[in-house]
Amino acid sequence: MILRDLIPHLDKPVVSGSLDTVINSLTYDSRSAGPGVAFVALRGKTADGHDFIPKAIAAGAAVIISEQAPPDDVKVPWVHVKYSRVALAQAAAFLHGEPAKNLSIAAVTGTNGKTTTAFLMHHLLNAGQKRCGLLSTVVYDLGGQQVPSTHTTPESLEIQGLLSQMRDNGCRAVAMEISSHALDQHRVHGLPIAAGVFTNLTQDHLDYHGTMEEYYVAKVRMFEMIASQAKGAMVINADDAWGRKLIQRYEETGKVIKFGYGVGFDYRAVNVRYDLTGTTFELEAKGRTFLVRTPLIGDFNVYNSLGALAAVQAMGLNLRETVAHLKNAPQVPGRLERVTEATTKFQVFVDYAHTPDAIENALRTLRALRPRRIITVFGCGGGRDRSKRPLMAAAAEAGSDICVLTSDNPRNDDPQVIIADAVKGFTRPKNHVIMVDRREAIKIALENARGGDLVLIAGKGHEDYQEIQGKKHPFDDRRVVRQLMIQIAGNRDVERAEKQAEREIRDAERRRPYDR
């Protein structure tokens, strides 16, 4: 494309330089700038892309898109805009042929449940004959081709590129998680959302947003987008206090769909029952009642299922058929994922729970399975909201019989400082153990587990690394559990064999004739 063609797609740009300049690609990283590349200067929390404009020009950037007016002596074409992030989203969409126009978008935002809800919507849309892509914390599915996820919601340039691949691969829909960071930074600007789900809002990301109110304001932006569209559904958890605020704000639009356990909700769950193999409940919706079966367990997965069902039904799927498809939903990696066999004497679950609310919900679910004891291994992330660390410990202690406090992703923080913050939330000193090394912490939990116990490894879920001092080291809780289970089983076999040998020796000695 040429700059002249791009200009009409930007908000009130002021342009200097040749409008016939050729643009082959966009970048917001000055190291990727060069001939035919437009450099977009983005402002971040720790760095400002405007500081790197000279480097981009020196590298031969074709065009500069910036929130600053050009210097008098600049020779490269310059586009002065009010918001660079909005301009990047608009330019990326145009460059990729506006792929979102060919896709029906099911989006989900909230503190907890985003990944599971996105996976469920992806599964249900595919089962309903709408070939569906997926943008999630765990993986990106481009329509039969899966690639590793880099962010819960990538930058707008990457989003548009991924959507264009989905379109080219024959997708008709996409299920995507939208984080508060993405909403605050306009990464999803301009996307037409067919159905947007709000799961809940609990304390998280306050290191970025500052207050819960600002965190909520970021989430509101997704529903502002839907409100500004001619069509679109707002699927909101009406049992959540922040969800009720959203409902009050948008109920008059006629686009709100309420879900939860409350009487009169559009999608309501009653008579919930679950065990190690899944959950069953009755769904009251559209004046009818359906029996729902899902292989996921817990009240929070009932909410995730309700949100997903409501969203895809609003997108045109048949509700009865969709309910039937839910029983074949896949296990979401690292979301209360059972990593032991059904025949194992004690069960081990790995979960991504890294907020007080998520830990509380996971443990409440496991407690309802009536275990002998619950042993919880958890840590708190470094470089994040410090105030939630003691709250996580308090939630873990309240729901567990034994806690093993360890490292999560300490990042650039001192693990001992993180643990010292978390320990303040404990009130019973005799029911917790501290072990900084995460592998050793998991080993302690498994070695002390007995028949009928449940072990929860919380915090990292699907992640296959541990980030320490800026480096990612291979570490997958699920893999570590399986390795240790084999080792522990072997050790216990040896221990049993040794005890059996000792018993046989004692028995033989008792039977031996008295030696005169």
Side-chain angles (χ1 to χ4, degrees):
M1 68 178 178
I2 60 174
L3 182 57
R4 184 187 309 278
D5 296 331
L6 173 62
I7 295 305
H9 297 272
L10 305 180
D11 288 340
K12 300 177 182 178
V14 177
V15 187
S16 62
S18 174
L19 290 173
D20 293 320
T21 301
V22 175
I23 300 174
N24 297 318
S25 62
L26 301 164
T27 187
Y28 49 88
D29 184 342
S30 62
R31 294 168 295 185
S32 302
V37 180
F39 174 71
V40 186
L42 303 182
R43 297 188 191 277
K45 284 284 185 180
T46 58
D48 187 345
H50 293 81
D51 296 337
F52 297 91
I53 290 176
K55 288 187 176 181
I57 293 174
V63 175
I64 300 297
I65 300 177
S66 166
E67 293 175 9
Q68 297 176 351
D72 293 337
D73 60 347
V74 72
K75 296 180 181 179
V76 64
W78 194 288
V79 182
H80 183 198
V81 295
K82 187 174 182 179
Y83 298 116
S84 293
R85 289 186 177 278
V86 171
L88 177 63
Q90 294 167 331
F94 178 67
L95 179 69
H96 288 286
E98 299 183 319
K101 289 185 176 180
N102 302 104
L103 297 166
S104 185
I105 298 176
V108 54
T109 196
T111 305
N112 300 313
K114 293 191 299 297
T115 299
T116 299
T117 302
F119 263 74
L120 290 174
M121 293 190 298
H122 176 250
H123 165 73
L124 295 174
L125 286 163
N126 272 319
Q129 305 304 310
K130 285 196 175 190
R131 190 169 190 180
C132 186
L134 173 67
L135 297 180
S136 77
T137 303
V138 176
V139 70
Y140 301 152
D141 185 335
L142 308 181
Q145 173 194 359
Q146 292 194 344
V147 297
S149 170
T150 58
H151 296 80
T152 295
T153 315
E155 191 54 78
S156 59
L157 178 59
E158 284 71 36
I159 289 176
Q160 295 295 339
L162 293 165
L163 294 182
S164 70
Q165 292 181 68
M166 293 178 193
R167 174 199 59 199
D168 295 345
N169 288 338
C171 289
R172 298 169 56 200
V174 56
M176 65 183 296
E177 296 181 52
I178 300 184
S179 68
S180 57
H181 292 68
L183 289 162
D184 186 61
Q185 296 173 7
H186 304 284
R187 297 182 201 170
V188 294
H189 178 87
L191 293 185
I193 298 174
V197 180
F198 176 82
T199 59
N200 51 64
L201 200 71
T202 62
Q203 183 172 336
D204 200 13
H205 304 306
L206 297 192
D207 54 305
Y208 179 89
H209 297 288
T211 66
M212 286 297 294
E213 189 63 36
E214 288 300 314
Y215 185 23
Y216 167 73
V217 167
K219 298 295 189 183
V220 166
R221 291 185 179 182
M222 187 175 90
F223 299 92
E224 283 292 323
M225 292 168 63
I226 299 172
S228 67
Q229 302 168 182
K231 297 180 180 180
M234 304 181 190
V235 182
I236 301 173
N237 177 358
D239 285 334
D240 182 84
W242 296 96
R244 289 192 291 274
K245 286 186 67 173
L246 275 177
I247 291 169
Q248 291 173 359
R249 184 173 182 137
Y250 294 108
E251 198 152 27
E252 292 184 358
T253 66
K255 297 181 177 182
V256 171
I257 298 173
K258 294 176 282 188
F259 71 89
Y261 287 87
V263 175
F265 293 173
D266 301 293
Y267 285 73
R268 182 191 182 208
V270 296
N271 297 328
V272 177
R273 301 177 299 278
Y274 55 87
D275 55 30
L276 281 172
T277 64
T279 303
T280 302
F281 64 92
E282 293 175 21
L283 168 65
E284 295 179 354
K286 306 292 181 182
R288 296 179 290 171
T289 300
F290 305 85
L291 182 63
V292 179
R293 174 69 184 177
T294 171
L296 309 180
I297 65 172
D299 283 345
F300 57 91
N301 277 320
V302 173
Y303 281 110
N304 296 334
S305 299
L306 290 172
L309 286 168
V312 300
Q313 199 277 328
M315 295 168 69
L317 296 193
N318 178 277
L319 184 55
R320 183 171 294 281
E321 292 177 0
T322 302
V323 166
H325 292 146
L326 194 61
K327 69 176 181 291
N328 299 316
Q331 167 66 56
V332 184
R335 270 58 180 179
L336 213 58
E337 180 179 356
R338 192 177 74 186
V339 293
T340 40
E341 300 297 329
T343 55
T344 307
K345 290 184 178 180
F346 60 88
Q347 297 295 321
V348 182
F349 292 83
V350 168
D351 193 77
Y352 192 52
H354 58 278
T355 67
D357 182 68
I359 289 175
E360 180 182 343
N361 285 334
L363 290 171
R364 185 188 301 119
T365 295
L366 296 183
R367 185 64 68 184
L369 298 176
R370 300 182 181 280
R372 174 177 171 268
R373 297 180 305 172
I374 295 178
I375 303 174
T376 300
V377 180
F378 77 102
C380 306
R384 299 293 187 269
D385 176 16
R386 291 183 67 174
S387 68
K388 74 176 183 179
R389 293 172 184 172
L391 302 179
M392 290 172 64
E397 182 183 64
S400 311
D401 297 283
I402 301 172
C403 294
V404 184
L405 177 57
T406 186
S407 295
D408 189 283
N409 287 317
R411 300 184 176 89
N412 292 316
D413 287 0
D414 183 342
Q416 295 285 6
V417 172
I418 297 173
I419 286 173
D421 285 342
V423 164
K424 296 173 185 176
F426 288 135
T427 60
R428 303 194 301 273
K430 293 185 178 180
N431 79 328
H432 70 264
V433 177
I434 295 173
M435 174 53 67
V436 176
D437 185 286
R438 191 173 180 90
R439 184 184 182 89
E440 288 301 310
I442 294 172
K443 185 178 180 182
I444 287 172
L446 299 182
E447 286 180 336
N448 284 278
R450 296 294 181 265
D453 288 348
L454 295 180
V455 178
L456 174 66
I457 317 294
K460 291 171 51 57
H462 66 282
E463 293 177 348
D464 59 2
Y465 63 87
Q466 189 174 26
E467 187 175 342
I468 304 171
Q469 293 299 315
K471 293 184 179 180
K472 291 185 176 180
H473 304 267
F475 197 101
D476 186 324
D477 284 349
R478 299 163 297 180
R479 186 174 182 182
V480 169
V481 168
R482 294 184 181 111
Q483 291 171 344
L484 289 173
M485 289 291 283
I486 293 172
Q487 178 184 328
I488 291 168
N491 292 343
R492 286 178 177 172
D493 286 344
V494 171
E495 183 180 344
R496 280 193 293 269
E498 289 175 345
K499 288 182 178 179
Q500 179 62 27
E502 290 173 1
R503 284 193 294 269
E504 290 174 357
I505 291 171
R506 286 196 299 269
D507 291 344
E509 289 175 344
R510 282 195 295 268
R511 291 193 300 269
R512 185 184 303 163
Y514 181 64
D515 187 358
R516 296 181 184 275

